[in-house]
Amino acid sequence: MEPAASKGAPAHAVAAGSMRVESPAMRQLPIRPRRNRRSAAIRSLVRETDLGPDRLIYPLFVMEGRDAAVPIDSMPGQARLTIDRLVAESRAAHGLGVPAVALFPAVEDDLKDRTASGALDPDGLVQRAVGELKSALPELLVITDVAMDPYSSDGHDGLVEDGEILNDPTLEILAATAVSQADAGADVIAPSDMMDGRVGAIRTALDAAGHAQVGILSYTSKYASNFYGPFRDALDSAPRAGDKKTYQMDPANVREAVREALLDVEEGADVVMVKPALAYLDVIRAVREAVDLPVAAYQVSGEYAMIQAVAANGWMDGDALMLETLTSIRRAGADMILTYFARHCAEVLNR
Ligand code: PBG
């Protein structure tokens, strides 16, 4: 029996034997982007950007001691770890497909001084952490941070004199720090200080010390950002006086990021990085288009904290935000992403 509605009604109202509504207007629409979104199967085939654990770098905080972890209040889920715990956490992430970790030391106040001399100690915290990581997990890529701030009594990334951050004298300290970390076994050195000429100075020093195979991941355009707050809590590394605006970049600028990237290419960087990530997607894109080197982006502590905070309030879905933001950073042009979500994201992606 025919549905009553079709009796004598025009063909475009309701087709006989089905509830499908058709209209002449619809038949005149041959181009329908929604066809490629109809099912999970077609969506997966047309997806333009992949996010896999193999694109992630896990930043970790290391401290002295044994078998201990001190949670970081403003970074729920993250903690300062003793070296043994650091190895265990790295092993777990590596087992889930995360290829690399980046180390940040939490240094006791009495080991900090004006010249950040602690950074050069061959038996220092970072050097020992690198050694233990490389012997436990030889295939894990270990990246070390070069900047004076964790070891500086001034809390700045460079040498301070009369309130000024000195550029050229800082370069020698950074280069010596890089060599010390390479001696300890670091695979990649990541200068995060934003001094002029540091990539070239570090490259020259590494080569002279026989570390031609050690790479440089340069914090090429690191902005003077409010998103670093939780990280400075984690390391107690905030500047004791002033701010970082005479060396870190003005958030208003993007051409300057390209200029920095071209300089890093000339000075011998292996990877250029933009930091922070989510508020700087246009910068990632501009750098991606300006240079042929791989591009990294750092989803920093404040970006992580914001997602964790809204998730804890039940205001948004934290895992969904994690995947969406990381995918957006990849889409903007980042080949690799430093993120505190690395381990958790790998767990979610492996489900
Ligand atoms: C310092 C350094 C900072 C971060 C990485 N290295 C903070 C700063 O510049 O004050 C921030 C990372 C983050 O917020 O997650 N050289």
Side-chain angles (χ1 to χ4, degrees):
M1 198 178 114
E2 284 192 353
S6 71
K7 267 244 160 69
H12 65 259
V14 176
S18 91
M19 290 303 287
R20 190 168 297 246
V21 178
E22 284 178 22
S23 75
M26 287 169 71
R27 275 183 257 114
Q28 287 162 17
L29 196 54
I31 296 172
R32 295 176 180 276
R34 285 184 56 192
R35 278 195 288 266
N36 283 345
R37 301 178 207 135
R38 283 185 72 212
S39 64
I42 190 72
R43 287 194 298 274
S44 109
L45 290 170
V46 304
R47 189 162 297 130
E48 298 174 37
T49 307
D50 289 322
L51 176 68
D54 54 346
R55 296 292 181 165
L56 305 180
I57 298 169
Y58 195 8
L60 290 165
F61 301 109
V62 60
M63 65 174 187
E64 294 290 359
R66 277 207 65 76
D67 196 21
V70 177
I72 299 158
D73 291 344
S74 51
M75 299 178 72
Q78 303 300 310
R80 300 177 181 192
L81 305 170
T82 53
I83 292 177
D84 50 332
R85 292 283 196 100
L86 172 83
V87 172
E89 184 67 14
S90 303
R91 178 176 281 122
H94 194 233
L96 291 162
V98 175
V101 297
L103 301 186
F104 297 95
V107 177
E108 305 289 331
D109 265 349
D110 56 357
L111 288 177
K112 299 184 182 184
D113 61 21
R114 231 188 114 243
T115 60
S117 60
L120 305 181
D121 181 354
D123 201 33
L125 178 58
V126 165
Q127 287 81 353
R128 274 178 286 125
V130 171
E132 297 212 20
L133 276 172
K134 289 305 293 184
S135 63
L137 302 162
E139 271 152 40
L140 177 75
L141 189 89
V142 176
I143 303 172
T144 49
D145 188 73
V146 168
M148 288 174 61
D149 59 324
Y151 301 93
S152 154
S153 45
D154 294 303
H156 274 288
D157 296 17
L159 199 60
V160 184
E161 203 171 271
D162 300 328
E164 195 188 327
I165 316 302
L166 303 181
N167 195 88
D168 299 12
T170 299
L171 297 183
E172 285 170 41
I173 297 172
L174 299 174
T177 304
V179 169
S180 166
Q181 294 172 349
D183 288 344
D187 298 294
V188 172
I189 304 295
S192 67
D193 54 283
M194 288 302 281
M195 297 301 121
D196 292 335
R198 90 272 209 211
V199 169
I202 290 171
R203 184 72 270 157
T204 304
L206 287 174
D207 290 352
H211 292 303
Q213 300 306 321
V214 172
I216 300 178
L217 187 170
S218 172
Y219 287 65
T220 293
S221 45
K222 177 175 179 178
Y223 287 86
S225 171
N226 292 294
F227 286 100
Y228 309 148
F231 176 98
R232 293 177 189 172
D233 291 347
L235 296 189
D236 190 23
S237 65
R240 300 291 183 261
D243 54 41
K244 297 192 172 186
K245 290 181 183 168
T246 67
Y247 47 107
Q248 297 182 348
M249 280 180 50
D250 184 340
N253 294 354
V254 62
R255 290 194 304 269
E256 190 182 349
V258 170
R259 183 166 183 241
E260 286 280 8
L262 296 175
L263 281 170
D264 280 358
V265 170
E266 266 176 49
E267 291 178 34
D270 297 287
V271 180
V272 291
M273 179 151 75
V274 175
K275 174 188 177 182
L278 196 60
Y280 297 84
L281 295 180
D282 58 323
V283 180
I284 296 173
R285 169 56 46 191
V287 169
R288 163 74 291 150
E289 284 170 7
V291 306
D292 294 331
L293 286 181
V295 175
Y298 198 148
Q299 182 179 54
V300 299
S301 58
E303 300 177 65
Y304 174 85
M306 289 200 305
I307 293 174
Q308 295 293 58
V310 294
N313 271 297
W315 293 342
M316 288 193 261
D317 177 338
D319 282 355
L321 283 175
M322 167 186 78
L323 295 173
E324 183 177 341
T325 52
L326 292 171
T327 300
S328 302
I329 295 164
R330 289 270 296 127
R331 190 197 63 233
D335 299 291
M336 64 195 88
I337 307 172
L338 280 90
T339 174
Y340 301 97
F341 284 118
R343 177 182 175 178
H344 180 64
C345 184
E347 277 161 3
V348 169
L349 291 171
N350 287 332
R351 258 176 213 155

